[in-house]
Amino acid sequence: MKPEITFSRSTKQPSGIAVILSGSDGKGSSGSEYADPEDVAARAAKIAAFSGKQLATVDVIAPAGSSADRILIVGTGEADARDEQFWIRLGGRICGAVKNAKRVTVWLDMQGSKSTPQEAVNVALGIMMRAYRFDTYKSKKNDDDKPKNVKFTIITSSATSAKRLLPQAEAVAGGVALARDLVNEPANILGPVEFAAHAKALARLGVKVDVLTEREMKKLGMGALLGVAQGSARPPRLAVMQWSGGRAKDKPVAFVGKGVVFDTGGISMKPAGGMEDMKGDMGGAAAVIGAMHAIAARKAKANVVGIIGLVENMPDGNAQRPGDIVTSMSGQTIEVLNTDAEGRLVLCDALWFCNDRFKPQIMVNLATLTGAIMVALGKHHAGMFCNDDALAEQISSAGKATAESVWRMPIGPEYDKMIDSKNADMKNIGGRFGGAITAAQFLKRFVGETPWAHLDIAGTAMGSVSSEINKSWGSGYGVRLLDRLVADNYER
Ligand code: BES
Ligand code: MG
Ligand code: ZN
């Protein structure tokens, strides 16, 4: 579905679905008389024992005197519990109720509480995120599945300011949709070169994009990343995206993403069951490109760099073997004891390159790095590993604000010992226990003194818990988190 969203102060001719809000205190939308002249909403709510609980709904056929077809009553709960996430989820809930309507009108002002521009725009954001579909490869679309151009009109006394803010929400929703598309896209279509082309496409938003080829990476000495790539027929890429919306002298904020377009495990091959999910092993890179889209499209007043390491992990006559020793760009050597622990090998060169080239004020990397993080945290939080308390606090807050939650995990010298190697500076696995932590500890060896955080998003980027604003397999997790981190802390 492609939603078209407008704001208006009032309407006399609502058609399609009329959405009327109702709180726990019985106070409902104001100004919706044209949709519901006989107040059937109130009667229907009473019959359905509707108490106005947040996001509870009652759906009725509109009476003869209304120009609308259906009336959807949506609970708004207690006034003081209507936070930012509530309005976003409300938009999602409304969008999910559209069925075959062509028009939806929402009365957002309530008796005694006028809607703010930000609330109105958050409803729009929820609508846009819920409207996402991945149906590129469905050649036979049945009528219900066909994308429809649904027109949403949000009635609010803040219409003028909401209209002005809408492009910001569109920027964010666009970034989320881009990230979801990339995660959902199968690996036969989306190889490293094709992924890099999506990065290149951000140039139209004013992002400077450079794509490094295999030869250039060889020159830089990225032996760890290249070792992973060497088993694939498709060559690797490293995409560097720069948005310069801040002062020229401001050091950039840097985001780094794991972009393994498919992870077979390499010679240490994964079992067959569920391997198809490894088309999403570029969820970190997808979040970074999606965040760069959002940041550029809303013209953020900050300098932001996004770097993504793009490879395919395949077994092949030329693939790297367990026991191989590679030299990373940093000069540190790595004994590859398990070729399936490849994400850290890609990231270590991308992180080192990023730190060396851009001297960023902070560096945040995202990666579908370990199955162990799902064992530890399930699917509701990403794991956060961080060498700087202030940065950890900023990321936690951004996570709370966007409902892209993180949970801080430990790092420390005890764990660091677990990745020391007899034959090289380190090995790429740390043993049976604390697998997500030893992976983080590995990355930490490549970030110097720069405030840095690693987000392990293996449980949140794909196959995630369905929500009011997401029914897609690829969730787009991280896009809003990173965008918010910049908006709240790094814009001038
Ligand atoms: N891409 C996987 C991690 C993963 C697993 C992401 C499941 C999403 C869902 C990663 O490259 C990997 O294979 N990690 C290994 C590390 C191990 C060999 C030390 C793992 O988690 O088993
Ligand atoms: Mg792997
Ligand atoms: Zn992987």
Side-chain angles (χ1 to χ4, degrees):
M1 183 221 297
K2 285 199 85 173
E4 183 191 304
I5 302 174
T6 54
F7 299 97
S8 174
R9 295 180 64 88
S10 66
T11 179
K12 294 187 175 177
Q13 278 296 322
S15 61
I17 301 177
V19 179
I20 297 174
L21 309 181
S22 179
S24 303
D25 55 4
K27 286 186 182 163
S29 291
S30 59
S32 58
E33 304 78 47
Y34 286 103
D36 188 11
E38 296 160 33
D39 204 7
V40 294
R43 245 187 91 202
K46 206 165 166 193
I47 294 163
F50 170 87
S51 61
K53 208 178 95 197
Q54 268 199 4
L55 302 185
T57 54
V58 179
D59 191 356
V60 291
I61 306 287
S66 168
S67 58
D69 301 323
R70 283 165 56 201
I71 295 176
L72 178 71
I73 313 159
V74 187
T76 52
E78 307 288 344
D80 53 10
R82 291 170 205 156
D83 58 3
E84 177 177 347
Q85 285 312 311
F86 166 72
W87 295 106
I88 294 174
R89 287 166 63 229
L90 176 71
R93 169 54 61 93
I94 292 167
C95 185
V98 163
K99 294 183 187 155
N100 48 20
K102 290 194 178 63
R103 292 196 66 110
V104 180
T105 309
V106 186
W107 279 267
L108 214 55
D109 286 345
M110 295 178 74
Q111 294 156 347
S113 59
K114 288 200 165 135
S115 45
T116 67
Q118 198 55 58
E119 286 166 1
V121 167
N122 281 336
V123 172
L125 178 61
I127 292 172
M128 291 186 276
M129 284 196 288
R130 177 66 176 267
Y132 175 85
R133 288 275 181 90
F134 181 69
D135 55 9
T136 323
Y137 302 101
K138 288 271 195 191
S139 64
K140 292 192 196 74
K141 292 179 176 118
N142 64 33
D143 267 1
D144 279 355
D145 280 352
K146 248 187 219 152
K148 288 174 282 272
N149 294 318
V150 183
K151 285 190 175 148
F152 290 86
T153 308
I154 299 176
I155 308 295
T156 166
S157 44
S158 305
T160 316
S161 319
K163 218 170 280 175
R164 214 174 324 118
L165 284 177
L166 186 64
Q168 309 261 322
E170 283 171 336
V172 174
V176 172
L178 172 58
R180 287 179 185 171
D181 270 343
L182 291 168
V183 173
N184 288 329
E185 197 72 45
N188 61 325
I189 307 292
L190 190 68
V193 170
E194 293 77 15
F195 201 118
H198 284 278
K200 273 258 179 234
L202 292 187
R204 76 184 141 74
L205 297 176
V207 179
K208 180 172 179 287
V209 186
D210 297 300
V211 176
L212 275 58
T213 62
E214 195 170 5
R215 254 188 49 210
E216 292 164 294
M217 287 188 267
K218 237 175 223 154
K219 254 196 220 146
L220 289 166
M222 294 187 174
L225 185 152
L226 292 170
V228 177
Q230 77 189 29
S232 171
R234 298 189 285 183
R237 291 290 184 265
L238 188 94
V240 182
M241 300 163 270
Q242 287 175 260
W243 170 253
S244 303
R247 295 185 208 91
K249 63 169 174 43
D250 288 346
K251 287 203 260 166
V253 166
F255 301 138
V256 178
K258 168 180 174 182
V260 176
V261 296
F262 196 83
D263 180 13
T264 63
I267 297 299
S268 315
M269 202 186 284
K270 289 182 180 298
M275 201 204 273
E276 65 276 11
D277 284 356
M278 287 301 110
K279 72 172 186 176
D281 207 19
M282 24 53 68
V288 170
I289 199 173
M292 293 306 292
H293 173 106
I295 284 161
R298 67 176 182 78
K299 301 189 172 63
K301 292 184 165 53
N303 298 333
V304 185
V305 181
I307 295 182
I308 52 183
L310 303 164
V311 305
E312 181 175 43
N313 190 20
M314 294 288 266
D316 168 271
N318 194 43
Q320 92 180 326
R321 293 145 292 255
D324 283 5
I325 295 177
V326 295
T327 304
S328 65
M329 183 182 171
S330 72
Q332 299 175 91
T333 57
I334 304 159
E335 186 177 21
V336 180
L337 291 183
N338 189 320
T339 64
D340 196 12
E342 85 297 342
R344 64 201 75 180
L345 298 170
V346 173
L347 282 173
C348 73
D349 278 336
L351 283 166
W352 184 272
F353 171 81
C354 177
N355 202 24
D356 183 63
R357 171 73 57 92
F358 294 101
K359 311 272 181 275
Q361 46 177 323
I362 60 154
M363 201 153 56
V364 180
N365 78 256
L366 293 91
T368 50
L369 204 62
T370 68
I373 198 65
M374 286 188 266
V375 177
L377 297 178
K379 295 195 140 256
H380 297 281
H381 287 84
M384 171 178 62
F385 302 83
C386 191
N387 64 359
D388 183 277
D389 290 344
L391 176 59
E393 190 47 48
Q394 290 172 352
I395 294 173
S396 288
S397 307
K400 283 201 185 102
T402 55
E404 294 191 336
S405 309
V406 302
W407 192 262
R408 192 168 182 183
M409 299 280 289
I411 44 177
E414 323 79 286
Y415 299 102
D416 199 52
K417 277 204 222 89
M418 295 168 74
I419 53 170
D420 285 337
S421 157
K422 269 200 212 119
N423 303 314
D425 295 337
M426 68 196 89
K427 51 190 180 185
N428 77 330
I429 50 172
R432 209 153 93 75
F433 301 117
I437 306 173
T438 46
Q441 209 65 57
F442 182 100
L443 298 179
K444 186 176 178 293
R445 294 188 179 198
F446 298 85
V447 302
E449 298 300 311
T450 306
W452 153 83
H454 151 54
L455 304 181
D456 194 334
I457 60 171
T460 51
M462 52 174 142
S464 41
V465 200
S466 113
S467 75
E468 223 51 89
I469 54 169
N470 182 42
K471 302 290 173 197
S472 154
W473 183 76
S475 65
Y477 178 97
V479 172
R480 288 188 302 132
L481 174 71
L482 295 181
D483 178 67
R484 188 60 168 258
L485 177 68
V486 169
D488 284 354
N489 303 285
Y490 297 98
E491 293 198 40
R492 64 180 155 86

